[in-house]
Amino acid sequence: MTKVKRTYSSRSRLSLPSSSPSSSPSTTKRKHFGEGAENEPPTKKRITNKTSPSSERSTKSKQSVLRQLHFSIETSVLRTCTVCGLSYTRGAPDDESLHRAHCSRVQRGMEWGREEEREAGKVGVEEIQSAVKLKNGKKGRIICFKANVGGRIGSKLAILLETINLALSSPPLSTDILQSSKAYLYLIPSLTNVHREKIVGCVIAQRISTAMTVATPSETLLKGDSNQATDRDLPPSSPTHRLVTVDTTSGLFCNPEALPTPLGIPRLFVPSAHRRQGIASRLLSAAAATFIYGCPLDPVNGDVAFTQPTEGGHAIMQNWGRGGVRIYEE
């Protein structure tokens, strides 16, 4: 019986993995995890939010818009502009925007451009006078149209009348008054645009029936003396007892008797930057000459009346009408 010898030299030996620490990943992990872990607590990872410089700047800019408001009971938030005389609430966006627009119109007036000129022929706008020279040498023109006109010109006139009413502290004109009235505007060329003009004066002329005469200075003086006396000392038929008080500040009194008067001026306005140039007197003269077709009116003879004029309106009334302008109730 023969013995068979087994040899392994011809076969390739399988290389077993090394048991060294560097060649075994699992062993390495176990060693790194186990080294010193028995006496040391596990470390916690700290989470940090890193922000870019741009986001920081945007955050700062957003925070800078914020305002700190305080209640001040002693200080009033109601302001009155010394230029236009409008009272508004400081800090209210609507009030401040209204004041800026109103103050600009009161100082410099409104514009008359190509859009209004295209519509002028359709609504019956008439040019009363052209090349009217002012005291400062500038020349302008006077136009006239119905006060109840519609369209773009009607909207322009409505904004202008709203500005005038706010400046004069007057109520808005009723629809009946506008239907029987004409608007006279004084236009001068704009300094910034050759195709536009500036509205530097406005007169609303109304058809009326009666008005009261203004009391003379002597009658007004008697009225002041009568105020110091009692009503028993004055008979009911006394002329000073019957005077109607219009404005005590300017000393304006009227006789109560109503006399026939064809033309009334409910509104008269000139922006502050264009005053003392003769604009108001030229507008009034144009209205008196053309309001009734073919029948020019004379203020000296009492054909024109104002409605409760302000202190400035009283001065214009006396200078232009030379004491003949009357007063009527609107």
Side-chain angles (χ1 to χ4, degrees), residues 102-208:
H102 174 73
C103 195
S104 176
R105 291 193 292 263
V106 168
Q107 293 182 73
R108 294 177 288 274
M110 298 178 63
E111 288 190 346
W112 182 277
R114 288 181 174 180
E115 298 82 3
E116 288 77 17
E117 282 298 319
R118 294 193 193 101
E119 196 178 330
K122 300 178 183 179
V123 298
V125 177
E126 301 178 10
E127 185 176 275
I128 304 301
Q129 295 178 5
S130 60
V132 182
K133 192 174 182 180
L134 299 177
K135 294 180 180 180
N136 58 2
K138 294 182 179 180
K139 293 183 180 180
R141 63 190 183 111
I142 299 176
I143 61 174
C144 172
F145 53 88
K146 286 284 188 179
N148 62 342
V149 69
R152 188 178 183 87
I153 295 180
S155 301
K156 178 79 69 173
L157 180 61
I159 297 175
L160 180 59
L161 288 177
E162 182 182 357
T163 303
I164 295 173
N165 293 332
L166 285 175
L168 301 179
S169 299
S170 302
L173 297 176
S174 64
T175 305
D176 295 336
I177 293 178
L178 293 176
Q179 288 179 353
S180 61
S181 302
K182 293 182 180 180
Y184 290 83
L185 303 182
Y186 196 105
L187 308 177
I188 61 173
S190 176
L191 299 177
T192 58
N193 193 337
V194 295
H195 302 291
R196 306 187 72 84
E197 295 174 292
K198 278 283 187 182
I199 303 175
V200 296
C202 176
V203 162
I204 303 297
Q206 175 194 1
R207 185 62 185 266
I208 60 174

Side-chain angles (χ1 to χ4, degrees), residues 40-61:
E40 294 181 3
T43 58
K44 296 181 180 180
K45 294 183 179 180
R46 185 176 298 175
I47 301 175
T48 57
N49 292 328
K50 296 182 178 180
T51 56
S52 60
S54 60
S55 62
E56 292 180 358
R57 286 194 297 269
S58 62
T59 306
K60 291 181 179 180
S61 62

